Amino acid sequence: MPNPESLIPNLMRSIRVKSYAKINWTLDVLFKREDGYHEIRTIYQTVSLHDRLRLIETTDILEISCDDQRVPVGDTNLAHKAARLLRDATGVKSGARIEIEKRIPVAAGLGGGSSNAAATLLGLQRLWRVELPEREMFRLAAKLGSDVPFFLIGGTALGIGRGEEVYPVEETESENLLLVNPGFGVETPAAYARLSRLTLKESARIIPFTLFAAKAIRELPLAASNDLEETVSAAHPEIAEVKRELLSYGARRALMSGSGATVLGVFDNSQASKRAQSKMRRAGYWSVRARAINRQQYWNTIFDRAEPRAGSK
Ligand code: C5P
């Protein structure tokens, strides 16, 4: 049967994709592996904060533009790499212009670059009308970065290995999160390199962790923890300061997200998170309220709509 889209070849010349941020409810670093990566156990969660991508088909060139000067727009950009990998894997001849509207802070532990890469893979599949088998998409995503495969699932998911092997788990709800960024970036390799204490020493936690992941997932927001936090905040005391402030403004739990420097506060209700947000903003911090996005919400909302024509802004 012909693909209906192939009968209307000029219908979809550009596409918009939402590129959600992530947090880590847990991040246990077990040991350093022979390939230089660290073996981790993490529970990822997509949250409502997102970048917007617009992908426009071109005859052959691949190009990126971004409204945030800190984002590289050349071929080192992860979205650019994603487009190249997809083109090589599918043999497509078309190119794309990728416009990124940045809202997720850069090098912030919120997976912004990884999310942009995954959103590009998903969006370009549609734009170029190609489809790779799921297993191949996950392989390309893992090549792009340890966090990228998670964004091919969304919602609440367990990540093992270097974080690239992901499994959907029961969803965690969390409506009143506050994300606070102290205004500097942390490079992921540096965060891992500073680690001196590894969870492996407490290897008893490894098995209970998987049980925990399966049984007590709903309680995660109040039991959240991050093995990278201690060492990264030793190098950047502002992180510990933001955490203290969030707790003093009523957060039930506060912790660093991923490799930092964003700190995440879990609040009981929207009044409390709003109050804390205005205090953090008054203190000069970037601060955004967010909520957990489950898998269904993720897949229902990442593609805004198809546009009939390219070129018009
Ligand atoms: O996979 P990704 O490109 O995001 O990783 C960036 C760097 O972070 C790696 O080169 C490595 O230094 C560090 N890393 C690690 N263990 C992980 C994930 C990342 O040591 N599980």
Side-chain angles (χ1 to χ4, degrees):
M1 208 176 92
N3 171 356
E5 275 177 9
S6 68
L7 301 174
I8 37 173
N10 288 322
L11 187 66
M12 202 159 71
R13 315 309 305 159
S14 85
I15 191 166
R16 289 178 195 274
V17 194
K18 281 202 183 90
S19 176
Y20 285 101
K22 62 90 181 149
I23 55 169
N24 302 76
W25 289 128
T26 65
L27 178 48
D28 287 347
V29 185
L30 306 189
F31 54 90
K32 189 170 179 183
R33 313 189 321 188
E34 286 190 352
D35 63 5
Y37 284 92
H38 290 78
E39 182 72 21
I40 66 168
R41 301 288 177 266
T42 187
I43 302 273
Y44 292 109
Q45 175 71 56
T46 37
V47 294
S48 50
L49 172 67
H50 59 272
D51 292 341
R52 289 178 193 276
L53 265 54
R54 183 161 182 246
L55 310 175
I56 304 151
E57 192 168 19
T58 65
T59 45
D60 56 358
I61 53 161
L62 287 177
E63 58 178 358
I64 306 252
S65 66
C66 182
D67 60 357
D68 185 327
Q69 307 251 317
R70 287 165 301 178
V71 175
V73 290
D75 56 13
T76 57
N77 186 295
L78 269 185
H80 198 284
K81 287 188 186 169
R84 284 203 312 273
L85 275 184
L86 187 68
R87 197 156 69 167
D88 291 349
T90 57
V92 159
K93 298 281 177 284
S94 310
R97 176 175 167 76
I98 302 166
E99 296 176 352
I100 305 174
E101 217 180 290
K102 257 279 148 229
R103 295 295 170 266
I104 308 171
V106 178
L110 295 171
S114 303
S115 172
N116 290 174
T120 299
L121 286 178
L122 294 168
L124 287 182
Q125 272 207 138
R126 284 204 170 187
L127 188 72
W128 289 341
R129 300 185 194 101
V130 290
E131 202 169 336
L132 283 182
E134 203 171 87
R135 179 187 285 260
E136 182 70 359
M137 281 290 270
F138 276 93
R139 196 184 62 80
L140 295 190
K143 258 178 122 165
L144 290 162
S146 306
D147 289 346
V148 181
F150 162 65
F151 291 102
L152 300 181
I153 297 187
T156 314
L158 171 68
I160 70 171
R162 58 185 170 90
E164 91 289 12
E165 195 181 327
V166 279
Y167 300 93
V169 292
E170 192 188 334
E171 310 267 6
T172 310
E173 282 176 27
S174 199
E175 284 295 312
N176 298 294
L177 301 172
L178 187 63
L179 306 174
V180 181
N181 188 278
F184 54 87
V186 174
E187 294 303 325
T188 306
Y192 278 100
R194 284 198 193 99
L195 265 182
S196 51
R197 187 188 58 81
L198 297 175
T199 302
L200 187 64
K201 287 191 193 142
E202 304 150 37
S203 54
R205 273 179 75 188
I206 301 169
I207 292 170
F209 176 82
T210 28
L211 289 177
F212 177 60
K215 295 221 172 105
I217 207 100
R218 284 166 190 280
E219 286 147 41
L220 272 175
L222 297 185
S225 70
N226 181 350
D227 275 358
L228 294 175
E229 183 176 309
E230 197 178 312
T231 41
V232 177
S233 37
H236 300 286
E238 300 94 323
I239 293 173
E241 176 57 28
V242 167
K243 180 170 166 163
R244 266 193 302 275
E245 286 178 41
L246 279 171
L247 290 169
S248 77
Y249 299 146
R252 294 282 306 278
R253 189 98 188 165
L255 76 158
M256 190 179 82
S257 179
S259 51
T262 304
V263 182
L264 147 80
V266 179
F267 287 84
D268 276 339
N269 55 60
S270 60
Q271 290 94 316
S273 69
K274 276 183 192 157
R275 245 189 337 261
Q277 182 189 32
S278 52
K279 289 191 168 151
M280 297 311 274
R281 284 189 167 167
R282 231 173 288 142
Y285 295 116
W286 174 97
S287 175
V288 160
R289 294 194 312 125
R291 64 176 202 287
I293 290 288
N294 68 30
R295 248 181 309 287
Q296 193 178 5
Q297 291 162 341
Y298 187 74
W299 288 103
N300 282 347
T301 55
I302 51 173
F303 294 113
D304 278 1
R305 64 195 153 94
E307 293 173 32
R309 283 187 193 283
S312 57
K313 280 253 166 192

